[in-house]
Amino acid sequence: MGDVLGIVAKRLGLGLLTLLIISALIFIAVELLPGDIAQAVLGQGATESNLAAKRAELGLNDPAPVRYLRWLGGAVTGDFGVSLVSSESVTEAITPRFKNTLFLALYAAAIAVPIAIGLGVLVALFRNSLFDRVANVLTLTSISSPEFFLGYILILYFSVNTGWFPSIAKVDPDMGMAERLERTFLPALTLVLVVVAHMMRMTRAAIINLLASPYIEMARLKGTPAWKVIVKHALPNSWAPIINVVALNLAYLITGVVLVEVVFVYPGIGQLLVDSVSKRDFPIVQACCLIFAATFILLNLAADIGSILTNPRLRHPK
Amino acid sequence: MEALESWMPLLTTLGKGALVIAAAVVVSIIFKALLVAVLPGEGAKVMRTAPLTASFGLFIILVYALAGIFAPWIAPYGEAEIVSTSFAPPDENLILGADQLGRDMFSRVIFGARNTVGIALLATSLAFLMGAVAGLIAATRGGWMDQVLGRSADVIMSIPSLIFSLLLLSIFGSSMFVLIIIIAIIYAPRVFRLTRAVAGDVVVMDYIEAARLRGEGLWYLIRKEILPNSKAPLIAEFGLEFCFVFLLIAGLSFLGLGIQPPTADWGSMVRDNATLISFGEITPLIPAAAISLLTVAVNFVVDWMLYRSSGLKE
């Protein structure tokens, strides 16, 4: 067991290192910005003394490595500085929105994961049947559509034409759970459509891969009933690929959520990021990017660790 | 009765959808027969065994290519030409009506085939060139070069592509040149990894050893020995990569950070005309549908090519 802990610790360390490199990249990217941030905040008409005061206030007179360490130290303790546009605390602007985004992603995942895995196993079992081919074409279409296309189609049919659900996902903190679930149903459904398609295809590939292995053939040749082959022989070995598929697709949700939030005007972190990019509000952009990247790395890490834990063979790398 | 009425729009759409699918099947059968008849020897043989989805994909790609190349001759108006009032309804001059500034929707959809697809193709080609060259060098040279390139690819791939491109666009601004470079950098690592893996398998072959002993240079090895033997997966990857790049550009343009006005582009057209959707109009969805249709078509063709090259019979 100590063996496993060692591997997990190693992976965690590697993930942290990647995150550190990314944080440096994010910082350097903003450093590369032509011109002076103080000038950008105050505009062209600012006097020299005002600029100097602003530079001192933002701590721009220190050398870049010092500022990087200060920024990183702040980020680790949950302080991302102040917004250039509104002068509010970035952390305060992000926290409620981050909760909303998390809610939406979890809502979508809760619907998508069971459906995708169930359907994925089914199409793998009935592969090359008509059912499989239709599912193949449908999932491919869903994957190939931009999220905003699916979102607007859902708005058109389930909101404008039928009036079943609201087209704008407006939520506030003291809203009841049922109402919140109803208001966010369409954005969640959009994410579900995309993620289910991805997840189903990956589950199908993983299961088919598994069913082609020699021990499954052996079990079949022995005359084991089909359901028993699946439950006793295939399933224990399919946890690793399935965990992988789930984690990878949850990571995919993170980018999908940006477009969906914009379509449904949902007050999440993705929309904040897009707004801040067009306003060039760098502290918020940096913070959002770091949060997205950290979540992405964390989920990929979870996929790695999950497959190591469920597959003893991976514990002894060659 | 009331319940039935609220279901009606959905049912009529499903009916229309069935008609569209039937039409697509007929078109693909005809197009396949046409290709079999027109193409010389080998091509006809390949097409005869192609699934319907593949011939449908080829047909759509051909239509888009024609629309893109001959856009100025097909479109009745220019892409930035204001010909009517804003949001004018369709009539005999404007097939799809006018957009938010009174420009002809139909002409802009046609020009979008040139702009959006053109930029995606350019970005994909650049990503491919960078990734493939780096991958080939890493596979043939090995050593520290391989390590440096590999680790850089790891870092780029561990940031979600949409987020990374938003970060870079916020810094460098969204001009077409910057957009293409940024997307090429973000997607090059995928190509790099594939090329390195494929070429890595080829590099250890005896005929490479023989060529090395003959005293052939690196460039000769790459061009004459490795590339011809890793062609199939690379072409399929180009198709897949194009889909990713195309969807990313569409997404960025939809967010208002990709291709900038007045260039006609499908992503930003959806964004600009989205208000029409709340009046039950489907016109803003047409450019979005154009994006999905091309992506589906390319995916169909790539699926078929992968199936053929891998000899996967399961």
Side-chain angles (χ1 to χ4, degrees), chain B residues 91-126:
Chain B
D91 55 30
E92 63 269 22
N93 286 329
L94 310 172
I95 307 172
L96 298 175
D99 72 354
Q100 88 282 12
L101 294 179
R103 295 168 296 194
D104 178 29
M105 257 319 232
F106 177 69
S107 303
R108 285 178 66 78
V109 170
I110 299 289
F111 271 101
R114 165 176 282 199
N115 302 328
T116 317
V117 181
I119 289 175
L121 264 183
L122 219 59
T124 316
S125 312
L126 191 62

Side-chain angles (χ1 to χ4, degrees), chain A residues 4 8 11 239-244 247 298-312 314-315:
Chain A
V4 180
V8 170
R11 289 292 159 110
W239 287 123
I242 287 180
I243 288 176
N244 230 326
L298 206 67
L299 286 167
N300 278 317
L301 207 67
D304 264 9
I305 293 177
S307 42
I308 288 174
L309 288 182
T310 47
N311 188 351
L314 291 178
R315 281 177 220 160

Side-chain angles (χ1 to χ4, degrees), chain B residues 23-48:
Chain B
V25 170
V26 172
V27 165
S28 0
I29 293 174
I30 295 173
F31 187 66
K32 185 174 162 182
L34 190 77
L35 277 185
V36 170
V38 169
L39 287 175
E42 193 59 28
K45 212 193 263 170
V46 171
M47 273 317 293
R48 206 166 287 142

Side-chain angles (χ1 to χ4, degrees), chain B residues 34-254:
Chain B
L34 190 77
L35 277 185
V36 170
V38 169
L39 287 175
E42 193 59 28
K45 212 193 263 170
V46 171
M47 273 317 293
R48 206 166 287 142
T49 57
L52 270 190
T53 47
S55 70
F56 176 71
L58 287 173
F59 175 72
I60 296 293
I61 293 172
L62 183 73
V63 170
Y64 275 65
L66 290 178
I69 295 167
F70 299 108
W73 292 277
I74 299 172
Y77 302 101
E79 57 178 314
E81 201 179 329
I82 293 175
V83 291
S84 181
T85 52
S86 61
F87 294 132
D91 55 30
E92 63 269 22
N93 286 329
L94 310 172
I95 307 172
L96 298 175
D99 72 354
Q100 88 282 12
L101 294 179
R103 295 168 296 194
D104 178 29
M105 257 319 232
F106 177 69
S107 303
R108 285 178 66 78
V109 170
I110 299 289
F111 271 101
R114 165 176 282 199
N115 302 328
T116 317
V117 181
I119 289 175
L121 264 183
L122 219 59
T124 316
S125 312
L126 191 62
F128 219 75
L129 195 71
M130 289 172 16
V133 169
L136 289 172
I137 290 176
T140 42
R141 278 276 179 80
W144 65 268
M145 192 88 155
D146 187 16
Q147 284 299 322
V148 170
L149 288 170
R151 295 296 80 76
S152 323
D154 284 351
V155 170
I156 296 180
M157 283 180 80
S158 63
I159 312 177
S161 52
L162 183 67
I163 308 299
F164 200 18
S165 46
L166 281 178
L167 173 71
L168 293 178
L169 282 175
S170 78
I171 289 156
F172 298 107
S174 347
S175 72
M176 203 171 288
F177 175 73
V178 170
L179 187 69
I180 290 175
I181 302 277
I182 287 177
I183 288 178
I185 290 175
I186 290 176
Y187 278 99
R190 280 180 50 98
V191 188
F192 166 78
R193 279 200 181 171
L194 182 82
T195 320
R196 191 182 160 281
V198 171
D201 285 344
V202 178
V203 161
V204 291
M205 295 288 176
D206 288 341
Y207 55 83
I208 301 285
E209 190 69 39
R212 276 214 175 114
L213 291 177
R214 274 206 312 273
E216 305 287 6
L218 177 70
W219 182 236
Y220 176 92
L221 281 180
I222 289 175
R223 209 164 41 92
K224 287 277 172 171
E225 307 282 358
I226 299 174
L227 265 188
N229 285 300
S230 31
K231 209 168 53 191
L234 285 183
I235 294 177
E237 175 65 20
F238 187 86
L240 281 182
E241 187 98 345
F242 171 78
C243 293
F244 288 127
V245 168
F246 190 49
L247 286 180
L248 178 63
I249 292 185
L252 287 173
S253 303
F254 172 74

Side-chain angles (χ1 to χ4, degrees), chain A residues 127 144 149 157 162 280 296, chain B residues 6 13 158 170-171 292 299 314:
Chain A
R127 60 186 176 280
S144 309
F149 184 40
Y157 287 110
T162 57
R280 312 192 97 188
F296 195 69
Chain B
S6 70
T13 317
S158 63
S170 78
I171 289 156
S292 324
N299 265 318
E314 178 85 21

Side-chain angles (χ1 to χ4, degrees), chain A residues 19 22-24 26 71-72 75-76 80 285-295, chain B residues 163:
Chain A
L19 198 56
I22 290 172
S23 73
I26 292 176
W71 175 70
L72 191 66
V76 171
F80 288 100
V285 173
Q286 283 177 320
C288 291
C289 286
L290 199 62
I291 291 175
F292 275 118
T295 324
Chain B
I163 308 299

Side-chain angles (χ1 to χ4, degrees), chain A residues 18 21-22 25-26 29-30 32-34 127-128 136-137 140-141 143-146 148-149 152-153 155-158 160-162 164 198 201 204 208 212 254-256 258-259 262-263 273-274 276-278 280 282 285-286 288-289 292-293 296-297 300, chain B residues 3 6-7 9-10 13 53 154-164 166-173 244 247 250-252 254-255 257 266-267 270-271 274 277-282 285-286 288-289 291-293 295-297 299-300 303 313-314:
Chain A
T18 319
I21 296 175
I22 290 172
L25 265 184
I26 292 176
V30 174
L32 287 177
L33 192 75
R127 60 186 176 280
N128 299 333
N136 181 36
V137 171
L140 205 59
T141 312
I143 289 175
S144 309
S145 304
F148 56 83
F149 184 40
Y152 280 131
I153 290 180
I155 288 186
L156 187 61
Y157 287 110
F158 292 106
V160 176
N161 285 354
T162 57
W164 290 344
H198 272 281
R201 291 174 75 85
R204 177 184 182 274
I208 285 182
I254 298 177
T255 39
V258 175
L259 287 165
V262 172
V263 170
L273 173 61
V274 174
S276 310
V277 167
S278 41
R280 312 192 97 188
F282 300 109
V285 173
Q286 283 177 320
C288 291
C289 286
F292 275 118
F296 195 69
I297 290 175
N300 278 317
Chain B
S6 70
W7 277 96
L10 208 62
T13 317
T53 47
D154 284 351
V155 170
I156 296 180
M157 283 180 80
S158 63
I159 312 177
S161 52
L162 183 67
I163 308 299
F164 200 18
L166 281 178
L167 173 71
L168 293 178
L169 282 175
S170 78
I171 289 156
F172 298 107
F244 288 127
L247 286 180
L252 287 173
F254 172 74
L255 295 176
L257 301 160
W266 291 335
V270 178
R271 167 199 176 84
I277 292 173
S278 43
F279 300 106
E281 292 274 343
I282 59 155
L285 292 179
I286 291 170
I291 296 168
S292 324
L293 190 60
T295 322
V296 172
N299 265 318
F300 278 159
D303 257 15
K313 297 296 176 240
E314 178 85 21

